[in-house]
Amino acid sequence: MEKLTVKGLLVLSFAGACALLAFYLGVFTGETRVYPHLFYIPVILAGVWYRKKAIYVALFLSGVYILVTHYSLTYLSVDVFERSTILIVVAYIIGLVSEKRAQVEAEIVRERDKFQKILSTISEIIFLIDRDFKVLELSKPQLRADIEMEDVIPAPYRRMPSSQFIKKKDVIGKKCYKWFWGKEKICSDCPVPSVFENGEGTRKVGSFVLADGTMMYLDVEYIPVFDEKGNVVQVIGDIRDITERKRMEEQLKSAEEQLRETKDYLDEIIKSSADAIVVVDMEGNVRSWNKGAEAYMGYTADEVIGIPNRKFFADPEEADRIMELVLREGELKNYRTIVLRKDKEPVHISMSAALLRDKNGVSIGTVRVSRDITKEVELEQKIKEERDKLNLIFESMPDGVYIVSMDYNVEFMNKVLIDEFGDRVGGICYEVFHGREEPCPLCKNTEVMNGKTVRWEWHSRRKNKTYDLIEAPLRNINGMLSKLTIFRDISDRKRMEEELRETCKRLAELDKMKLDFLSVAYHEMRSPLAPIIGYASLLEPKLSDKERRYICNIEKCARDLEEMINRMLELARIDGRKVELTFEELSIPEVVQKVAKKLKPAAEAKNQIISLLIPELTIQADEQKLLAIFTNLISNAIRYTPEGGGIGIMVEERGEDIRGCVADTGPGIPAEHLPKIFERFYMADTSMTRKSGGFGLGLSIVKEYVRLHGGRVWATSEPGKGSKFFFTLPKRQISKSKRGE
Amino acid sequence: MKKRILIVEDAPYMREMLVEMLEQEKGSYEVVGFAVNGKEAVEKYKELKPDLVTMDLVMEVMDGIQAIEEIKKYDQNALILVVSALGTPEYRDAAMRAGADGYLWKPFTVKNLTDVLTELLESQEK
C-alpha cells in the first residue's frame, strides 16, 4: 500500500470535487456538457503522478458522470458515453506515457548511482567545474582516508579539504577556489582558464607538508569537456595522490646517485689497484688491463688490449680451464696458477674471476682480479717443507705430540696419538684424550697461553701410567697462540726411580746398621786390649831387662792394633757423618811443632832428618783434625823413608788457601797407583807392607779430614826418589757449622 | 789418708787389674768395694760412700750412664771416673752430661790411671 501523499490527496480531492460538482449541476441544473472538462484535471494529475492508476480515476469519474446524467433532468445521450470513453482513453494514454517516462528516469538514476559508486570507490577524486569555476560535481570530499584536517599544516601552506567539515552539498555550486583553498579570487597559478581557452588538457603537481613533516604530493589532471559545437564548457579535474610514487622516485634517484658514486669509486679503485684487474671477453681477448696488471706483468694496456689471454699463462690451456670454470660456476675464487711476465719470468698468482653480463643477462666476458703470490707460494713451500720435516720427526717420535688451540681445539696430533685415539684433529682436547665434558682441572692452557713453558709430571690413575709433559706456547703463522704438548710415558722410569729410591733407602739403612755394627765391633775389639796393655804395664817393673823388652813389644803391638782400630772407628764415624769439626784460630807453626815433637823419637830412631819450612800463618781449623792430618802424613813419611833419609815439611799461603806439603825420600809410588793411594786399605805394593807395616788407613783419614775442611789432597811421586803429599785447606771457614753434610 | 774407691766393672780380670794397679801406689788408695752393674753400683755407693768411683759404661741390668745419673742424684759431690773402651766423642759427651768427672779410655797403663786419679782428686780438693 502506498502511503497517502500530498499528491494522492490532491488527486483524490480533485476527483471528489469533480464528482460533487457533477452531482450538483446534473441534479439541480440539468447541465451535463460543460463540467465534464474539469474531469481531465484529476485524471491528468493522476496520470502524471500515478501513471496507469489514472485509469481508475477516469473510470470512477466516468461512472459518476453517467449515473448523474441518468438520474438528472436530462436524458442519457450518446454524448455522455462518448465523453466518458474519451476520458478513459485519455487517462490510459497519459498513464502509458507517464509509465514510460518513469522507466527512463529510473534507468537514468540507476546509471547515475552506478557512476557515483565508481567515482567514490576509485582512489582519485574527480570534480567538474564550469567556466565560472563553480564546482558541478565532486566524487568524494576526502582525499585520503587517513588524512584529517588537523594533519595538514595551515598557512602559509595551503589547506587541505577535510571530510569533517566539507559535505558534498557545501561544495557543489561553490567556486572551487572558495571551498578548496578558502580564497576569494581565482588562484594565480590556476591552469583551468588555459584549458578553457586552448581546449587542451593539462596537469599540475602540487605538494603539501603534513603535520608529521612528510610531504604529500597531488597530481591533478585537467580534462576539457566539449559541447556539440566544440566549445569547452566544463573542465574535469582528476586528483591523484602520488605521494608514494614520488617517494619511490626520490628513493630511486638517491639510489642511482649512490650507484653512480659507487661506480666512480670502483673505477678509481680499479685504476689504482695493486691487484691486476683484467677483463677478458667471451672470445678470450683482453678488453681491460689496469695499472696493477701492468706493474707485475710488465705489459702496458696498449700492448695487450685485444690480444688472446692464453698468451699470458705458463700453460696456455689454463685460459680455457679458467673460462670453463667461470662459465660453469659463475665465479672463481682464489684460483692459483702461473703466468709469464713480459720477460718470461713465471709469476704465481691467485685469481678470482666473475662472469660479466650485460643488462639483458647475456654473458659478455669475465673480470679477473689477480694478485702476485710468488713470495707467499715460496714461503708456503718452505713452511710445507719445514712442516713435513717436523711431521716426520713427530711421526717417528715415540712420544705423544699434539697441538691445541686456545679454545681447546686439537690442531695436530702425531702418529702415536692417532694410533691410540684415532685421527681426532678438530675435536676438543679434553673430550678426545680424557673423555671429559669440561677442561681438565690440571690443564695448563692458561699458563702456556701467557707465554710460559710448563714441564710437569702427570699420573693417570685410569691407565696407571706416569707422563712427563712439556707444554710450550706455539705461535702460528697467523699470530695466534696454540699449545704444543710433548709427553712421554715415563712409567717404567718412574717405577725404576721408585725402586732405586727404595733400594737407596734400604742401602742407607743397611749402611747405618753396618756403621752402628762396626762402631760396636770396634769398641768390642778394643776391650781385650785393655787388660793386655794394663797387665803388661803392671808386669813391666817386676821383670828383667830382657823380659821387659818382650813385654814392651807386646804392649807396642797392642798399641798398633789399638791405633788401627781407632782409625777404622774414625772412618766409620766419618761415613756415618758423626764427625763434627770445631773451628778455632790456630797457628800453623805451633801445630806442626807439636806433631814434630811427638814424632821426633820415631824419626831419630831411623836417623832421619826432618826439615821444616813453616811461615807464621794462622788458619781456621779443627785442631785435633789438623794435628791428625800432619801426624798421619809425617808418620807415613817416616815409615817409608829409609834409614838416614830426609823428610821435608812445607807450608805456604796460596790465595785464600794454605797449602801443605810433606815430602819423603822413600821408594816412591808408581804413577798408576797415585790416584788410588787415598782409598781405604789400598797399598802401592803389598811387599811394602811387611817392610813398613801400616794398613793404608792413615791417608784415608787425611783425605776425609781435608775434605771436611773444604780442602783438597793429592800426591806426586818419582819412583826411586820419593813422594810428595799435598793438601790445601781454606784459611777461613765460611760457616762454623760442620762440613760434609 | 787413703782414698776410698768403688770399682764398677763387669769383667773380673779388669776388676783384678784395677785393684792391682791401685795397690801399686803405695797405700794412696783403698778399694772399698766392687759392683758388676749399674744398679749394684748405686746401691754400693749409698752403702759405702766412697771418695771415688771408677765406672765402666757397658754393663748389664743398668748401664754406666744411668748409674752416674743415679749416683749424682743421690750425691751431688760424688766423684766418678769413667773407665771405658767407648772412646768416641759421642760417648764421652754423654758421660760428661750425665755427670762424670773424668774419662779414661781403655786400654791404659798404670801410669795413665794414676795420672788421671791424681789430677781428679787434686782438682776436687781445690
Side-chain angles (χ1 to χ4, degrees), chain B residues 11-72:
Chain B
Y13 52 87
M14 282 302 290
R15 285 202 296 274
E16 193 190 335
M17 191 185 87
L18 278 167
V19 173
E20 231 9 82
M21 282 179 172
L22 291 170
E23 279 176 2
Q24 293 261 313
E25 282 304 301
K26 314 277 186 273
S28 295
Y29 308 103
E30 182 194 355
V31 176
V32 292
F34 300 100
V36 298
N37 61 48
K39 197 162 168 277
E40 216 179 288
V42 179
E43 286 162 9
K44 283 279 168 73
Y45 185 87
K46 291 177 181 169
E47 183 193 325
L48 301 169
K49 305 271 186 337
D51 295 317
L52 187 141
V53 183
T54 71
M55 180 69 76
D56 194 5
L57 290 182
V58 185
M59 290 176 298
E60 288 174 6
V61 186
M62 184 191 281
D63 68 25
I65 302 282
Q66 245 179 306
I68 294 167
E69 283 169 355
E70 291 289 317
I71 293 169
K72 281 281 175 181

Side-chain angles (χ1 to χ4, degrees), chain B:
Chain B
M1 200 190 150
K2 283 185 183 175
K3 292 291 174 190
R4 303 170 72 249
I5 291 176
L6 169 66
I7 293 172
V8 184
E9 173 65 65
D10 59 347
Y13 52 87
M14 282 302 290
R15 285 202 296 274
E16 193 190 335
M17 191 185 87
L18 278 167
V19 173
E20 231 9 82
M21 282 179 172
L22 291 170
E23 279 176 2
Q24 293 261 313
E25 282 304 301
K26 314 277 186 273
S28 295
Y29 308 103
E30 182 194 355
V31 176
V32 292
F34 300 100
V36 298
N37 61 48
K39 197 162 168 277
E40 216 179 288
V42 179
E43 286 162 9
K44 283 279 168 73
Y45 185 87
K46 291 177 181 169
E47 183 193 325
L48 301 169
K49 305 271 186 337
D51 295 317
L52 187 141
V53 183
T54 71
M55 180 69 76
D56 194 5
L57 290 182
V58 185
M59 290 176 298
E60 288 174 6
V61 186
M62 184 191 281
D63 68 25
I65 302 282
Q66 245 179 306
I68 294 167
E69 283 169 355
E70 291 289 317
I71 293 169
K72 281 281 175 181
K73 224 185 276 169
Y74 174 74
D75 181 359
Q76 185 67 41
N77 297 319
L79 203 55
I80 301 171
L81 173 68
V82 173
V83 180
S84 173
L86 302 176
T88 52
E90 301 91 85
Y91 293 113
R92 197 184 293 255
D93 290 350
M96 291 316 215
R97 267 200 306 277
D101 299 284
Y103 204 104
L104 183 63
W105 199 16
K106 292 175 184 174
F108 53 88
T109 58
V110 180
K111 191 172 181 299
N112 297 144
L113 176 67
T114 50
D115 285 355
V116 171
L117 284 178
T118 310
E119 193 186 328
L120 253 184
L121 291 166
E122 273 174 10
S123 71
Q124 197 207 27
E125 272 159 23
K126 277 176 200 170

